[in-house]
Amino acid sequence: MPTHYQGTTEEILALDAFIKLNRSVIAVQGRLLPALQREFGLTESQIAVLEALKHLGPLQQGELCQKILRSGSNVTTVVDNLERDGLVQRSRDESDRRIQVVNLTEKGRELVDRALPVHVGRITDTMAALEPEEQRELGRLCRKLGRAGESK
Amino acid sequence: MPTHYQGTTEEILALDAFIKLNRSVIAVQGRLLPALQREFGLTESQIAVLEALKHLGPLQQGELCQKILRSGSNVTTVVDNLERDGLVQRSRDESDRRIQVVNLTEKGRELVDRALPVHVGRITDTMAALEPEEQRELGRLCRKLGRAGESK
DNA sequence: ATCGAATGTTTCGATGTCGAAATATATGGA
DNA sequence: TCCATATATTTCGACATCGAAACATTCGAT
């Protein structure tokens, strides 16, 4: 699994870490998402929205963008599909009619209450490949990397 | 940026690391991919294919699946678009006509030769948020995590 | 009070992504 | 030789994803 790329030592080190970072996410999600789809009919984005609503209550779509780190147009699509499936409900904010407030339906709440513990259990099992101290260190490094150039 | 999820200590630790891992990839790619698209008109999958062909020579589509970690149907789509843009060329293997061999065109080689150094430079800059020793450790942890349950 | 700028959302067109089914070809055994 | 099975790719339908443009609404300055 070498890098193949001819470059400086610095570039090879960076590229190697970058590739392993990306592959680890693909590998981990590849183990989680098919099960989530099969058992609960949910995609990654869908459970992210449902989880945010469960823990934070009704949210504006713009707030959902922040939470799930996706574009506005994407949130429109994901919420469209959740609404079609009866898991969430949109309502216009009365004091500012530009705003769509998204909330869980009873069906949505029931589903996320069932799915989330199972999903978190699988995440925990997967992450258990690393010792607790390694998980902490991975978290620290990822946080540092993600934060860098955040203000841009 | 806490987890909100109510669970065991083990679950909270795992979920926290998992979330930071995912977010770091989104953040890093969010800095790299718009520039790649703007300057060279390439997506992540497209440059992954071009890079594999540059370093490994002509490949069967099935081999490309392995290299870029995507499904067969996805590789068909990505190669379709690259072929339409004149960057790669397909040819049937004469001894086994099921196989499509994909190769760079001159235009494709010229583009990847131009784009790759710039892209790798940006990756290097981004990863420079971590010290060299931290990059090595991140690589080690991601590799360990990605490898777990690999055989399955 | 009005109008232009700002803000929140949707639409549109393109690409990526998957799994299942369909298609094309090859291979091995009867 | 012929056919069942295996392998490589494509097709299909669904969802995700983005950025730009359109749309709706609010807000501020005049």
Side-chain angles (χ1 to χ4, degrees):
Chain A
M1 203 174 305
T3 288
H4 294 294
Y5 184 79
Q6 301 295 317
T8 66
T9 311
E10 190 191 3
E11 284 176 332
I12 292 185
L13 176 60
L15 200 46
D16 185 69
F18 175 77
I19 289 171
K20 286 173 179 155
L21 176 64
N22 279 291
R23 291 197 171 193
S24 70
V25 169
I26 292 174
V28 168
Q29 296 288 24
R31 275 171 245 148
L32 297 172
L33 301 185
L36 188 64
Q37 181 66 240
R38 191 176 351 99
E39 291 174 40
F40 303 104
L42 292 174
T43 66
E44 182 181 11
S45 294
Q46 287 173 345
I47 200 163
V49 167
L50 296 181
E51 178 180 2
L53 296 177
K54 171 182 165 73
H55 291 126
L56 303 174
L59 293 175
Q60 303 180 8
Q61 285 194 190
E63 294 172 323
L64 275 172
C65 292
Q66 307 301 312
K67 297 299 173 192
I68 73 169
L69 302 179
R70 295 287 181 278
S71 69
S73 57
N74 182 40
V75 168
T76 294
T77 303
V78 173
V79 172
D80 278 350
N81 290 335
L82 289 172
E83 193 172 39
R84 176 206 55 198
D85 297 342
L87 301 173
V88 305
Q89 196 171 12
R90 274 190 257 232
S91 53
R92 288 280 170 192
D93 184 314
E94 275 314 309
S95 68
D96 183 345
R97 301 189 40 72
R98 291 170 303 184
I99 294 172
Q100 291 272 29
V101 179
V102 184
N103 201 358
L104 288 173
T105 61
E106 255 316 292
K107 183 178 175 190
R109 180 172 302 280
E110 186 270 338
L111 180 58
V112 69
D113 285 348
R114 268 195 306 126
L116 204 49
V118 176
H119 189 54
V120 170
R122 283 215 192 82
I123 291 171
T124 306
D125 291 347
T126 303
M127 296 301 294
L130 301 181
E131 302 301 323
E133 194 42 57
E134 290 179 320
Q135 292 184 34
R136 259 182 289 273
E137 180 65 1
L138 178 63
R140 184 186 76 79
L141 294 172
C142 287
R143 179 188 181 83
K144 185 174 179 183
L145 179 60
R147 288 258 159 141
E150 196 175 55
S151 59
K152 195 174 15 222
Chain B
M1 204 172 305
T3 289
H4 294 292
Y5 185 77
Q6 301 294 320
T8 67
T9 310
E10 190 191 4
E11 284 176 333
I12 292 184
L13 176 61
L15 199 48
D16 185 69
F18 175 77
I19 289 171
K20 286 172 179 156
L21 176 64
N22 280 291
R23 292 197 170 193
S24 71
V25 169
I26 293 175
V28 168
Q29 297 288 25
R31 276 170 242 147
L32 297 172
L33 301 185
L36 188 64
Q37 181 64 242
R38 190 174 352 100
E39 291 174 40
F40 303 105
L42 292 174
T43 67
E44 182 179 12
S45 294
Q46 288 173 343
I47 200 163
V49 168
L50 297 181
E51 178 179 3
L53 296 177
K54 170 183 165 76
H55 291 127
L56 303 174
L59 293 175
Q60 303 179 9
Q61 286 194 189
E63 294 173 323
L64 275 172
C65 293
Q66 306 302 314
K67 298 298 173 190
I68 74 169
L69 303 179
R70 294 288 182 276
S71 69
S73 57
N74 181 39
V75 168
T76 295
T77 303
V78 173
V79 173
D80 277 351
N81 290 334
L82 288 171
E83 193 173 38
R84 176 205 55 197
D85 297 341
L87 302 173
V88 306
Q89 197 171 11
R90 274 190 257 232
S91 53
R92 287 280 168 193
D93 184 314
E94 275 314 310
S95 69
D96 184 343
R97 301 190 39 71
R98 291 170 300 183
I99 293 172
Q100 292 272 28
V101 178
V102 184
N103 200 358
L104 288 174
T105 60
E106 254 317 288
K107 183 178 174 189
R109 180 171 301 281
E110 186 269 339
L111 180 58
V112 70
D113 285 348
R114 268 195 305 125
L116 205 49
V118 175
H119 189 53
V120 171
R122 282 214 193 83
I123 291 171
T124 306
D125 291 347
T126 303
M127 296 301 293
L130 301 181
E131 302 300 324
E133 195 41 59
E134 291 179 321
Q135 292 184 34
R136 260 182 289 273
E137 180 66 1
L138 178 64
R140 184 186 76 79
L141 295 171
C142 287
R143 180 188 181 83
K144 185 174 180 184
L145 179 60
R147 288 259 159 139
E150 195 176 56
S151 60
K152 187 170 33 245

